[in-house]
Amino acid sequence: MNLVDEKDEKPTRWEKCVEFIMFHFRWVFVVPFLLPLSFLFNTVFDFRNRIVHAVNSAPNAHVRKVKHIQEQLKEWNDNGRKSKLVNARPGWLTMSFRFPLYKENATKIATDKLFDILDLDVEKMTVKAEPGVTMGQLSQYLISRGYTLPVLPELDDLTVGGLINGCGVESGSFKYGMFQHICTGYEVVMSDGELKNVYPDSDNSLFFAIPWSQGTICFLVAATIKIIPCKKYVKLTYKKTETLSEMCEQLTEDSDRNSENVDFVEALMFNKEKGCIMLGEFSDGPDTHDEVVNPIGRWYKKWFYTHVEDLINKKHESIEYIPLRDYYHRHSKSIFWELRDIVPFGNNVLFRYLMAWMCPPKIAFLKATTPNVLRKLYDRSHVLQDMLVPLDKLEECIDLFHKEVEIYPMWLCPFYLKSQPGLMKLRNATHKMYVDVGAYGVTSKDGYHHERTTRRLESFVRSVNGFQMTYADIYMTRAEYAEMFDRTLYDWKRASCKCIDAFPDIYDKICRSGRR
Ligand SMILES: Cc1cc2nc3c(=O)[nH]c(=O)nc-3n(C[C@H](O)[C@H](O)[C@H](O)COP(=O)(O)OP(=O)(O)OC[C@H]3O[C@@H](n4cnc5c(N)ncnc54)[C@H](O)[C@@H]3O)c2cc1C
Ligand SMILES: NC(=O)C1=CN([C@@H]2O[C@H](COP(=O)(O)OP(=O)(O)OC[C@H]3O[C@@H](n4cnc5c(N)ncnc54)[C@H](OP(=O)(O)O)[C@@H]3O)[C@@H](O)[C@H]2O)C=CC1
Ligand SMILES: CC(C)=CCC[C@@H](C)[C@H]1CC[C@H]2C3=C(CC[C@]12C)[C@@]1(C)CC[C@H](O)C[C@@H]1CC3
């Protein structure tokens, strides 16, 4: 690992030494303290949710919580709309490496108290949830009742509000699109305190303006989301690819959204040539005894990405049956591959059997306790980027990621993008298959510089009509951002809904200088 990087940011020898210790021995704090704390937190929260469902108190509480938000907004209006409005959710809880600076002098609106599932409508096939509801909560609630979300992003702590006002993608996305595309209605509170129900056929301009807007148009207080029936297992086929061009061709062929027996598509690259495409299908389980059932979510099981690599090293193609919830949260246990730097022995068999029942540490707790020295090191050599590019540009994109950051595994997740009004509007097609190329981890690439390298990646993404996920560090200028995202509808909606003096501009929320 490259502890020293650019000339302008060279740490002293003493700093290097402290960084080294903090980086390699962070587990000394994480294992005995954060793991039990995370486990305790999850157990208590889970217990609380079960009680709330059992007594069905959420719908009444929702009305009270929304009223409180409206009162806060009334007071802010009465006081002369003096500061900008943001969500009260504290920075350490959000699923991004950064803490929001734009919240410091802003008025914080209590949307963070909204974390319950409100209604399951099996006739309309929808679930209504408050914005703070997490993917972990939804998968547990829905799967036990025989349903699931068509797109269920894999990290347990991602929230409905964050995935709509930011964005969300997952292995069901090649068929159903992004998280926003499975939403059928939003309940929102505007800056003047008005409560609105927004549907594509009643208020379609607002409906399309909300996704990706980062909470700069209105406050989301509930979302209605499509559900589909599910089965107990995912029959997962692992297919090895041996060259980059084979990966790109095969992934393009496999990402056929009309294919009847594929429900999930995802791929991992383990180096520039070797990769694995995973095709999943809902299944009732194996037909014969000799087929493999692999409950990968159990505490003693290997980290998923290491399991995939082991499989393709042994066999060109294999099939396993994975319990559905284990499949969805397959990357949670190892936080993709980030945990290997934090608990280097986390995948060791002894650790797994003895301690991994408390894993993973909560991302929010890791974020809140990242020491400053480590933050500096991460600032210099940690990459966290998801670039969304047309699938036909995948080869070029991987070439560039390899040249610039060379972090493996690399996550590839195809998704269907239908041109709709809004920030993600396609400029040159009615619909297109895109792919999320995700790089997460510490790079030791010579010449890597967080700003200059990210700008080169961003420039490539703009040149192919791609998009950058906005939870990541963004170094684009305001004009470059407007080139990547279509602000036409967004700007009109901000003007017509009196948002300009009420909320920060989206660029000021997502740009690097808006975050610490
Ligand atoms: C349902 C709905 C209702 C709306 N109602 C209103 C309304 O009542 N009043 C109102 O003012 N707005 C309204 N809008 C906002 C709307 O986004 C814009 O007014 C509208 O998009 C203007 O363009 P258009 O529809 O003709 O074409 P669009 O297809 O939206 O054209 C805009 C496209 O052209 C591209 N473009 C624009 N300028 C350039 C350029 N110089 N060079 C290259 N490309 C460029 C943009 O990238 C964008 O993709 C509404 C939007 C929606 C979705
Ligand atoms: N598989 C995937 O798709 C993954 C996605 N992510 C990214 O993580 C983020 C989600 O993380 P999460 O912690 O859930 O969300 P965050 O708290 O990070 O929220 C993301 C954005 O949505 C806004 N927002 C959240 N709730 C509301 C609301 N009720 N009303 C209005 N605006 C709201 C926030 O505004 P404010 O700044 O005011 O709080 C913020 O700008 C997304 O940006 C997503 O792209 C990360 C990992 C995986
Ligand atoms: C699948 C998609 C689209 C994105 C996955 C992104 C995640 C891998 C990152 C989102 C937030 C990140 C954080 C960390 C690791 C990578 C993420 C989970 C840390 C846990 C790394 C260690 C630091 O001390 C705290 C970080 C918090 C955020």
Side-chain angles (χ1 to χ4, degrees), residues 87 89 94-95 102-103 154 159 167-169 214-215 220 509:
N87 292 278
R89 187 164 151 85
T94 66
M95 197 66 74
Y102 54 80
K103 289 201 180 181
E154 53 296 295
T159 64
C167 73
V169 66
Q214 310 284 144
L220 182 72
K509 273 194 158 186

Side-chain angles (χ1 to χ4, degrees), residues 140-156:
Q140 190 177 56
Y141 175 84
L142 289 175
I143 293 171
S144 61
R145 290 162 173 80
Y147 302 98
T148 185
L149 297 186
V151 177
L152 202 148
E154 53 296 295
L155 293 175
D156 295 44

Side-chain angles (χ1 to χ4, degrees), residues 241-284:
T241 56
E242 295 182 76
T243 62
L244 175 56
S245 46
E246 186 191 352
M247 165 60 81
C248 297
E249 277 160 31
Q250 195 59 54
L251 192 64
T252 307
E253 197 178 304
D254 288 336
S255 305
D256 172 9
R257 64 190 300 263
N258 298 317
S259 155
E260 275 184 11
N261 44 14
V262 182
D263 298 300
F264 305 97
V265 179
E266 166 191 51
L268 292 176
M269 293 292 290
F270 292 98
N271 58 41
K272 198 174 168 206
E273 303 299 337
K274 186 176 76 172
C276 178
I277 299 179
M278 285 155 278
L279 304 179
E281 181 190 353
F282 285 118
S283 159
D284 292 317

Side-chain angles (χ1 to χ4, degrees), residues 204-210 217 421-423 486-494 496:
N204 66 358
S205 55
L206 184 53
F207 181 82
F208 290 118
I210 290 171
I217 294 184
L423 285 159
D486 188 338
R487 291 188 58 131
T488 325
L489 175 63
Y490 173 79
D491 283 335
W492 173 65
K493 233 34 243 184
R494 293 243 315 157
S496 59

